[in-house]
Amino acid sequence: MYNEFKIISETSLLLYLAPPISMQNQRLCYALNEELKNKAHIKEVVVGMNSVYVLTSDLNYKELLDLQSELNELIKYIKPLELNGKLVEIAVDYGGDLGLDLKVIAKAKGMSMSEFAKLHAEPIYDVYFIGFQPGFAYLGGLDIRLHTPRLSTPRLKIPAGSVGIGGAQTGIYPYQSPGGWNIIGNTKTKLFDINSDEPSLLKAGDKLKFVINSIKERL
């Protein structure tokens, strides 16, 4: 199941790297993207969370098998790629009516809201890839003490800029949408601007640092 490209349709292959999810594995995905994106018969490469999707042009079955073998040989020797991304700081207002789950999940972990917020803002997070919504960054680096299961019943409406935690992940909702993550704060930073030359503020390989703008103890 893992560490091999599998044929998943007449024109596509998919690679899942063996867990646990790690930045080292993600850098291997970046390297595969660079190696494959201009290769003959490959129309598109999409990097996900420790995974790589490859869309090919029309190939017959033998040609697809040959490409699969070639890619699986490539995995054996390709070296992880370090991306020199930028560091982006994002100010967050923790708690209050736009961070309404912070009080509950902090209490469940025996922390004050301030302690929880400071632990959340402490790391420099790696941007693994962009997905779910335009500009939504999947981040690596959340402190294990803050890992929190998703809500049992997702909310139908999460405000744009909401900062959430879902399992071992943290992230920011660029747009209003339904969502099942625990919402701990909100940022006014715009994550995606379609009128900009580079619409997404964050890209794979960038670094993100949350900065505490305020911590509101009351809703």
Side-chain angles (χ1 to χ4, degrees), residues 61-124:
Y61 187 56
K62 182 181 182 306
E63 291 170 331
L64 196 57
L65 286 175
D66 290 342
L67 178 61
Q68 180 189 29
S69 297
E70 183 181 346
L71 298 186
N72 285 334
E73 283 300 310
L74 178 62
I75 297 170
K76 296 176 183 176
Y77 65 81
I78 196 166
K79 302 296 183 186
L81 177 66
E82 179 79 37
L83 296 181
N84 296 315
K86 60 186 180 298
L87 173 63
V88 177
E89 293 189 346
I90 292 182
V92 177
D93 294 303
Y94 287 91
D97 56 1
L98 291 178
L100 68 172
D101 295 317
L102 177 59
K103 184 175 183 179
V104 172
I105 61 176
K107 183 179 180 180
K109 294 179 179 299
M111 300 179 192
S112 68
M113 295 170 68
S114 293
E115 289 171 333
F116 194 104
K118 288 174 182 175
L119 277 176
H120 183 261
E122 188 173 271
I124 294 178

Side-chain angles (χ1 to χ4, degrees), residues 82-191:
E82 179 79 37
L83 296 181
N84 296 315
K86 60 186 180 298
L87 173 63
V88 177
E89 293 189 346
I90 292 182
V92 177
D93 294 303
Y94 287 91
D97 56 1
L98 291 178
L100 68 172
D101 295 317
L102 177 59
K103 184 175 183 179
V104 172
I105 61 176
K107 183 179 180 180
K109 294 179 179 299
M111 300 179 192
S112 68
M113 295 170 68
S114 293
E115 289 171 333
F116 194 104
K118 288 174 182 175
L119 277 176
H120 183 261
E122 188 173 271
I124 294 178
Y125 294 91
D126 292 299
V127 177
Y128 276 47
F129 73 106
I130 304 297
F132 171 55
Q133 291 181 341
F136 183 95
Y138 283 82
L139 304 173
L142 180 66
D143 191 304
I144 193 171
R145 289 170 287 182
L146 304 187
H147 292 187
T148 307
R150 294 164 58 93
L151 299 174
S152 56
T153 302
R155 294 186 173 95
L156 297 179
K157 187 184 294 183
I158 301 295
S162 291
V163 178
I165 290 177
Q169 292 285 309
T170 186
I172 308 166
Y173 289 82
Y175 294 99
Q176 177 180 294
S177 73
W181 287 17
N182 300 274
I183 304 304
I184 62 172
N186 190 273
T187 179
K188 294 181 174 58
T189 300
K190 198 167 188 176
L191 277 296

Side-chain angles (χ1 to χ4, degrees), residues 9-26:
S9 78
E10 294 177 344
T11 56
S12 58
L13 304 99
L14 181 63
L15 166 72
Y16 279 119
L17 294 172
I21 293 170
S22 70
M23 197 60 212
Q24 185 70 1
N25 278 349
Q26 196 66 21

